[in-house]
Amino acid sequence: IVISKCGVMGFYGSCLLAYTFQWYLQGNPVPVVDTYKYLGIMIDHKFSISAIMDERLKKLETACRSLNPFLHCVGIPIALKIDVLKAILIPVALYGSELCGMNKLIYRKLQSCINSACRVVLGISMRSSNQLMISKELGILPLEVMASVRRSRLFFKSASLKTWLSFLTKDL
């Protein structure tokens, strides 16, 4: 076990309790942390969904900026651009969506970023476009719908698991 990748964090009311002890793992001290990145998701002591989604938005915006020259290139077929959008940007936006699916407000900023990329792919302006029609034309469902499907799948799948996941998701 790599101690530098480990950390102890209290959640909600037990935050102060975590700081009152020196924690050890295999004889090595483990630091008490306020935030922790687990499987690419930044978690804070309040388990704040808004903080998780803000981090997800930063990653999506970075991915959009890096793909911007590709999406603007008129020499690349639109079908290839759509495939790249679906293969790269959508997964970045939906990573960890099982935590907060079924909430349209949470996905509004992420959806706006995806909408902008869709407009760039088609080469149309913001004012002259109906986003619902653009999404339908490109075959891309709204993010909150895709996130809701993922959350529902987790809910039904986790009941039969014999791991911590079933314990963590029993109250979803």
Side-chain angles (χ1 to χ4, degrees), residues 9 56 63 70 76 89 95 106 112 126 135-136 145 150:
M9 182 179 355
R56 185 69 12 223
F70 175 83
I76 298 172
L89 294 183
Y95 187 79
I106 288 177
S112 176
M126 289 179 146
S135 297
K136 189 166 179 64
V145 171
R150 288 177 176 208

Side-chain angles (χ1 to χ4, degrees), residues 56-147:
R56 185 69 12 223
L57 179 61
K58 287 178 189 173
K59 290 186 184 274
L60 180 61
E61 288 171 342
T62 301
C64 283
R65 279 193 302 276
S66 66
L67 283 177
N68 213 17
F70 175 83
L71 297 176
H72 273 95
C73 183
V74 293
I76 298 172
I78 290 177
L80 181 59
K81 293 179 188 180
I82 294 168
D83 288 343
V84 167
L85 193 139
K86 289 179 181 178
I88 296 175
L89 294 183
I90 300 294
V92 169
L94 290 175
Y95 187 79
S97 61
E98 294 84 357
L99 295 172
C100 50
M102 300 182 182
N103 190 331
K104 187 174 185 175
L105 294 176
I106 288 177
Y107 282 94
R108 182 173 285 154
K109 292 178 185 174
L110 293 169
Q111 185 68 54
S112 176
C113 192
I114 295 294
N115 293 349
S116 296
C118 290
R119 283 190 216 95
V120 168
V121 165
L122 295 176
I124 56 178
S125 70
M126 289 179 146
R127 293 185 181 176
S128 66
S129 60
N130 178 333
Q131 191 55 47
L132 184 60
M133 296 309 293
I134 292 171
S135 297
K136 189 166 179 64
E137 183 70 27
L138 298 180
I140 298 173
L141 292 171
L143 289 178
E144 68 267 9
V145 171
M146 291 187 276

